[in-house]
Amino acid sequence: MKALVCGGAGYIGSHMARLLAAHGHEVVVLDDLSTGHAQAVQWGRLVEADVLNLPSLEAAFAGQRFDAVFHFCARSLVAESIARPYDYYASNVVGTLNLLEAMRRHGVRRLVFSSSASVYGQPASGMVGEDHPTQPTHPYGASKLMAERILADAAVAYGLDSVALRYFNAAGATADACIGESHACETHLIPNVLRAVLGSGPALEIFGGDYSTPDGTCIRDYVHVEDLAQAHLQALDYLRAHPGAHAFNLGNGRGFSVRQVIAAASVVTGRTVPWDMAPRRAGDPPMLVASSQRARAELGWSPAWTGLEAIIESAWRWHRAQPW
Ligand code: UDP
C-alpha cells in the first residue's frame, strides 16, 4: 500500500508513519512544517505542502497513486482557537475540504481522520460513547465536528469512505524514544509535568482545583500514541468491508485527575513535580473519559498501553533524551 500521511511531521502523524513503514507500506508525508519537525520524518519522503495552498496540494498528489490518506494536519490548541477562530476553521475545515477535493480528483477513496473527544463538549457524566450529544464548547472542537459532517456528506455524494477517530488524551512516546511530543508552545499536561521536573519548563500550573471531581482537578483518559496509530491501521482495514463514514472513540476507559498524573510522574521520575494552583482554563470539561466499546467491537482494537505509569515512563524517556 502507498499511504499519504498528512501532518506526518507532527506528534501522532510521525508515529503513524513509523507504524505504516513497519508494516511494509510506502509512506509519503505531507506537512507544511509549521508545527511539525522535519527530523520526525524518518519513514518516508517529505513533501512540504500546505492544505490551504491548492497548488502545493495538487503537486503532492500529481503522478502518485495513493491507496489511502491519513489526515493529521490541524491546529489543535483550545485557547488559541478561542482567540483566533478563523484560523482554526480555515486550517481544520477548509484545509480538510481541500484535501478531500484533491483526493476526489485523484481517485483516492479511503481516509482515516484525526478527530477529537472535544466534539462532545461538556459531557453530562460518566463514560462518553459515540452516541453522546456532540456540543463542542470551543472552535477547535467545532472545527473537528464540522469536518466529520463533511466526511459523512462526502461518503454519500462521492463514495469517499472514512473513519473519524475521536482521540481522548494522546500521550507517551515510542519505547526507543526516537520520536515524541514536541510542541513549540506546549499546553498538554504530561509534557508540562515532565518539563517542570526537568527544569526545562516552569513549575506546572494546575488549571483549577475546584471542579466537581473527587480531588477537585480535571479527569482525563490518557491513551498511548502508539495505540492511536495502531487504531488507524485497523480503521483502514475496517473500511475495506464497511464503506461509508464512521466515527469511533479511542481511549483507555479509565480517568485520571491532574493530581493523579502528578503523583504518577513523581513515582516514574523519582522526583518531586513543582506545581502551583492556577485558575481554571477556559473550555475545560471536568471529566472526559471514553467508552471505546465500539472501537473494540468493530475494529478489534484494544490498547496495549493501559497503565498510566507506563505511558508517562515512555514520555519521560523521550523527554530526558532531548537537548532542552
Ligand atoms: N492541565 C493543567 N496544566 C497544564 C496543562 C493541562 O492543569 O499545564 C490540565 C487541563 O486543565 C486538563 C488536563 O490537564 O484538565 C489535560 O489537559 P491537556 O491540555 O493535556 O489536554 P486536553 O484535555 O485539554 O485535551
Side-chain angles (χ1 to χ4, degrees):
M1 173 176 75
K2 183 169 184 175
L4 180 67
V5 181
C6 297
Y11 173 42
I12 306 173
S14 58
H15 285 79
M16 187 74 238
R18 175 179 153 116
L19 183 66
L20 285 163
H23 281 258
H25 301 306
E26 184 180 350
V27 176
V28 175
V29 167
L30 182 155
D31 205 295
D32 66 0
L33 300 181
S34 58
T35 55
H37 308 277
Q39 65 269 27
V41 183
Q42 302 173 23
W43 299 278
R45 187 165 57 85
L46 171 64
V47 176
E48 268 192 70
D50 177 355
V51 287
L52 291 177
N53 178 319
L54 293 175
S56 75
L57 196 53
E58 180 59 29
F61 277 81
Q64 306 284 336
R65 287 199 62 81
F66 296 118
D67 299 294
V69 172
F70 297 86
H71 179 27
F72 298 90
C73 303
R75 291 177 179 268
S76 61
L77 303 179
V78 169
E80 188 180 65
S81 83
I82 294 169
R84 292 165 41 197
Y86 293 175
D87 289 347
Y88 275 67
Y89 293 120
S91 292
N92 299 358
V93 181
V94 179
T96 298
L97 264 180
N98 290 346
L99 178 64
L100 296 181
E101 176 56 8
M103 289 176 65
R104 191 183 67 79
R105 277 190 284 110
H106 291 271
V108 188
R109 299 171 70 99
R110 290 193 181 126
L111 174 80
V112 184
F113 174 64
S114 169
S115 189
S116 163
S118 63
V119 299
Y120 296 114
Q122 303 262 355
S125 65
M127 309 256 282
V128 179
E130 291 83 352
D131 296 329
H132 189 283
T134 45
Q135 294 164 331
T137 53
H138 43 70
Y140 168 63
S143 70
K144 288 290 179 181
L145 189 59
M146 286 178 196
E148 286 195 16
R149 174 59 205 245
I150 292 168
L151 293 181
D153 294 338
V156 174
Y158 308 119
L160 177 97
D161 297 328
S162 66
V163 172
L165 295 174
R166 298 174 175 169
Y167 313 152
F168 281 62
N169 288 65
T174 55
D176 61 5
C178 71
I179 43 175
E181 189 168 9
S182 172
H183 300 114
C185 167
E186 190 50 75
T187 64
H188 292 113
L189 179 63
I190 292 175
N192 280 350
V193 166
L194 298 179
R195 287 179 184 210
V197 168
L198 284 170
S200 55
L204 180 80
E205 291 188 309
I206 299 181
F207 296 137
D210 58 351
Y211 283 96
S212 55
T213 58
D215 69 17
T217 63
C218 288
I219 293 175
R220 294 289 181 275
D221 180 337
Y222 296 90
V223 55
H224 197 274
V225 62
E226 288 184 337
D227 285 327
L228 293 180
Q230 177 61 33
H232 288 67
L233 266 192
Q234 291 176 229
L236 187 62
D237 278 347
Y238 181 81
L239 282 178
R240 298 183 215 284
H242 301 85
H246 312 272
F248 296 99
N249 286 345
L250 296 180
N252 261 312
R254 286 183 65 200
F256 295 95
S257 71
V258 174
R259 286 185 188 276
Q260 286 175 311
V261 169
I262 292 172
S266 289
V267 171
V268 167
T269 63
R271 305 190 200 173
T272 305
V273 179
W275 60 267
D276 298 310
M277 190 54 75
R280 291 182 176 195
R281 187 172 68 174
D284 274 345
M287 181 165 162
L288 208 43
V289 179
S291 163
S292 299
Q293 277 314 109
R294 192 181 282 178
R296 287 171 190 267
E298 306 259 330
L299 303 182
W301 175 78
S302 64
W305 296 75
T306 52
L308 179 64
E309 286 184 12
I311 292 173
I312 293 176
E313 195 182 354
S314 72
W316 175 234
R317 271 199 300 273
W318 187 81
H319 271 79
R320 267 193 314 184
Q322 301 314 301
W324 53 50

